[in-house]
Amino acid sequence: FFFQAEDGIRDHCVTGVQTCALPISFDRVVALVLLLLLSPLVVPTAMVLAAIPGPPVRVRSCRVGRGGEPITLLRFRTRGRGLDGRAGRWLARSRLDATPLLINVLRGDLSIVGPRPERAEVVAGYDVWEHARHAVRPGLTGLWAVDPRRCATGRLDTALDVVYVGTVGWRTDARILLRAVTLSATPR
């Protein structure tokens, strides 16, 4: 199920990369359907956050997208003045804080499956081989989220992204998506 380069992740050669595994139209249809299905939860969540004094309901985060271009990701705030720790933790655990990212998919900044969108200051420290992850649009989920080898340091996550770019295809995306749905249904 999981993907690994024959001669080591670092030396994985990325050739003939497709521009996207699943068409952008598929990503947008899935994002729109998810937003509609989740709207009974998302709208009240946004209304509650708007009623709590503090930073805006949505937070913006600058990341590096396809081709190294900057993108702005949207999320619900989970911290800040007026928002107690329990409410923020509940938002994060329920993953409702990430639903505004579906707007990024609708805009074409993100794909459903792809490399992890990373901060510019982290990308600035990349070795040459790590930039291969920018050959495709970053995703809401990817190998970095579903591979049991993932780690907190990020270095292995970047290597998994490079492996993903080298194995990109609808079958790979379908396996990753199925694994992501399975993990999401499992309590943290």
Side-chain angles (χ1 to χ4, degrees):
F1 172 74
F2 296 103
F3 312 92
Q4 183 170 332
E6 301 269 323
D7 36 321
I9 292 174
R10 177 179 284 270
D11 301 321
H12 188 67
C13 181
V14 179
T15 57
V17 173
Q18 299 172 13
T19 54
C20 62
L22 295 174
I24 291 174
S25 57
F26 173 82
D27 284 340
R28 288 181 172 156
V29 167
V30 169
L32 187 59
V33 167
L34 286 172
L35 277 171
L36 290 172
L37 290 174
L38 293 172
S39 63
L41 296 172
V42 173
V43 171
T45 299
M47 291 171 60
V48 167
L49 286 173
I52 298 172
V57 171
R58 288 185 317 206
V59 292
R60 297 172 186 274
S61 154
C62 293
R63 301 298 169 113
V64 178
R66 182 176 177 190
E69 294 296 317
I71 58 174
T72 301
L73 300 184
L74 306 170
R75 291 182 86 90
F76 282 136
R77 68 178 157 119
T78 56
R79 295 175 234 168
R81 187 172 43 93
L83 187 63
D84 74 17
R86 286 188 318 256
R89 281 194 303 274
W90 178 82
L91 271 175
R93 254 194 328 273
S94 68
R95 296 176 178 90
L96 282 175
D97 66 321
T99 52
L101 290 171
L102 293 169
I103 295 168
N104 288 105
V105 175
L106 290 174
R107 291 191 325 205
D109 296 334
L110 291 179
S111 182
I112 299 294
V113 179
R116 181 183 180 104
E118 193 56 84
R119 295 183 320 272
E121 58 269 18
V122 173
V123 172
Y126 275 2
D127 291 334
V128 173
W129 67 272
E130 293 172 293
H131 289 282
R133 71 199 310 263
H134 298 121
V136 296
R137 283 181 297 137
L140 295 178
T141 191
L143 276 179
W144 51 271
V146 302
D147 193 298
R149 297 173 290 180
R150 69 185 186 273
C151 63
T153 65
R155 201 65 172 178
L156 181 57
D157 290 348
T158 301
L160 289 171
D161 287 340
V162 172
V163 169
Y164 168 79
V165 169
T167 60
V168 70
W170 70 268
R171 285 187 184 113
T172 301
D173 283 5
R175 283 186 231 148
I176 292 169
L177 200 50
L178 180 62
R179 179 76 175 140
V181 169
T182 303
L183 288 173
S184 291
T186 308
R188 289 193 211 189

